[in-house]
Amino acid sequence: MPVCTVSMSQDFGWNKKEAGIVLSSFFWGYCLTQVVGGHLGDRIGGEKVILLSASAWGILTAATPLLAQLSSAHLFFMTFSRILTGLLQGVYFPALTSLLSQKVRESERAFTYSAVGAGSQFGTLVTGAVGSLLLDWYGWPSVFYFSGGLTLLWVCYVYRYLLSEQDLILALGVLAQGVPVSRHTKVPWRQLFRKPSVWAAISSQLSAACSFFILLSWLPTFFEETFPSSKGWVFNVVPWLVAIPASLFSGFLSDHLINQGYRTIAVRKFMQVMGLGLSSVFALCLGHTSSFCKSVVFASASIGLQTFNHSGISVNIQDLAPSCAGFLFGVANTAGALAGVVGVCLGGYLIETTGSWTSMFNLVAAVSSLGLCTFLLFGEAQRVDLSPTHEDL
């Protein structure tokens, strides 16, 4: 959607505020299924939740151009489509967190999560590169057809080679009947939310998600309007090309430091300094340069450094509560998605009213700094999901 926003705005006559509504509407749905996705991942297996939801969002993505043309109410139907897409994709990261917390040991979590997270960066890279070319050659609908088609190809591959039909039938039966498949599905709500470290993790995840969503939504428009003669594939590709090795490096570095004897929480906090602190510095620099090359460098550095969050707060949630990591990540990412709704809309409002992109980058820096300070002060890596009699074991 961010790749196509400018072209769609021209076709449908949207201003910045209306474009901001469409961009942010994804997060209206995204925030509603986070906790559900994490809890289902803890119960029936994250891989099954991901496959079922991907099937639905792949079909919807490919059908989005058709929905947009149903009537003259383009804004309504695009907003509805984005909300529904958000509902379906909201389960992904909580289910992934649940899956990895159950299958991967602590000393390998950061690299594993970062490696899997690099797949998201690669997907954005492919969509940015191929999508920019398709946008120029065939128009914005082709980008949705391409993205939805790739998702459905992935679904077919995973279904055929990685999951059995019996597993999916069992998962669907659980979803339909609401029958628990494990005796250990009760979430210790009160125990979790009495811990400052849990609130620090939620706050940091909120800031990381909000900052990322603002940049993800508005960077393509920033480049197209500030540098209209530039090639779309450059600014839609280079930042994500940097993000992939940055994500892998952050995971490797984090696990290496822990294996060398550094305290887990010290490593997690260092990763957040890079992912929230240093990345926001480069975001601020974007608002104070008129050079296209420098802007690409600053955007690439900011996006690349944000992947360090995969080895910081994203893994810290698994440190705190591996038995219900999907649920806790869902709560934290719900907060982040809600902040993303406000942040993307507020970003569009600030750009429209001030006539300057600097205000939007200042917003990113302020949100990132707040989350970083909270995590540095209250963040911990000790388990909080154990019963009081076993907490110190």
Side-chain angles (χ1 to χ4, degrees), residues 185-230:
T185 58
K186 187 176 180 181
V187 176
W189 301 78
R190 293 184 180 179
Q191 186 175 325
L192 290 177
F193 294 118
R194 286 174 178 170
K195 303 292 184 179
S197 57
V198 170
W199 287 107
I202 292 173
S203 173
S204 190
Q205 177 65 24
L206 181 154
S207 298
C210 182
S211 300
F212 177 74
F213 291 150
I214 294 173
L215 291 178
L216 177 69
S217 298
W218 285 114
L219 269 182
T221 306
F222 162 74
F223 276 104
E224 290 195 24
E225 293 194 351
T226 309
F227 309 102
S229 60
S230 60

Side-chain angles (χ1 to χ4, degrees), residues 79-108:
T79 301
F80 173 77
S81 172
R82 298 301 295 166
I83 292 174
L84 192 54
T85 304
L87 283 169
L88 294 167
Q89 292 196 353
V91 303
Y92 171 70
F93 278 108
L96 174 64
T97 301
S98 175
L99 173 64
L100 297 184
S101 69
Q102 295 172 19
K103 304 293 185 181
V104 182
R105 60 186 179 184
E106 181 183 35
S107 61
E108 297 176 352

Side-chain angles (χ1 to χ4, degrees), residues 72-239:
S72 58
H74 307 296
L75 185 65
F76 171 79
F77 281 105
M78 280 306 303
T79 301
F80 173 77
S81 172
R82 298 301 295 166
I83 292 174
L84 192 54
T85 304
L87 283 169
L88 294 167
Q89 292 196 353
V91 303
Y92 171 70
F93 278 108
L96 174 64
T97 301
S98 175
L99 173 64
L100 297 184
S101 69
Q102 295 172 19
K103 304 293 185 181
V104 182
R105 60 186 179 184
E106 181 183 35
S107 61
E108 297 176 352
R109 281 178 187 161
F111 180 77
T112 305
Y113 197 96
S114 297
V116 176
S120 297
Q121 314 301 337
F122 183 72
T124 309
L125 168 65
V126 170
T127 304
V130 180
S132 296
L133 296 175
L134 290 173
L135 184 64
D136 291 338
W137 295 344
Y138 304 110
W140 62 264
S142 61
V143 182
F144 287 92
Y145 298 145
F146 171 74
S147 180
L150 278 185
T151 302
L152 294 176
L153 284 176
W154 178 86
V155 167
C156 291
Y157 173 82
V158 173
Y159 174 74
R160 183 170 182 178
Y161 295 107
L162 300 181
L163 285 178
S164 68
E165 184 176 351
Q166 185 177 0
D167 288 337
L168 286 179
I169 292 174
L170 177 61
L172 288 170
V174 172
L175 292 176
Q177 300 175 18
V179 179
V181 296
S182 171
R183 290 174 294 177
H184 306 290
T185 58
K186 187 176 180 181
V187 176
W189 301 78
R190 293 184 180 179
Q191 186 175 325
L192 290 177
F193 294 118
R194 286 174 178 170
K195 303 292 184 179
S197 57
V198 170
W199 287 107
I202 292 173
S203 173
S204 190
Q205 177 65 24
L206 181 154
S207 298
C210 182
S211 300
F212 177 74
F213 291 150
I214 294 173
L215 291 178
L216 177 69
S217 298
W218 285 114
L219 269 182
T221 306
F222 162 74
F223 276 104
E224 290 195 24
E225 293 194 351
T226 309
F227 309 102
S229 60
S230 60
K231 295 293 184 182
W233 67 266
V234 176
F235 55 78
N236 283 327
V237 170
V238 174

Side-chain angles (χ1 to χ4, degrees), residues 386-393:
L386 299 173
S387 62
T389 55
H390 295 89
E391 267 188 353
D392 297 327
L393 292 181

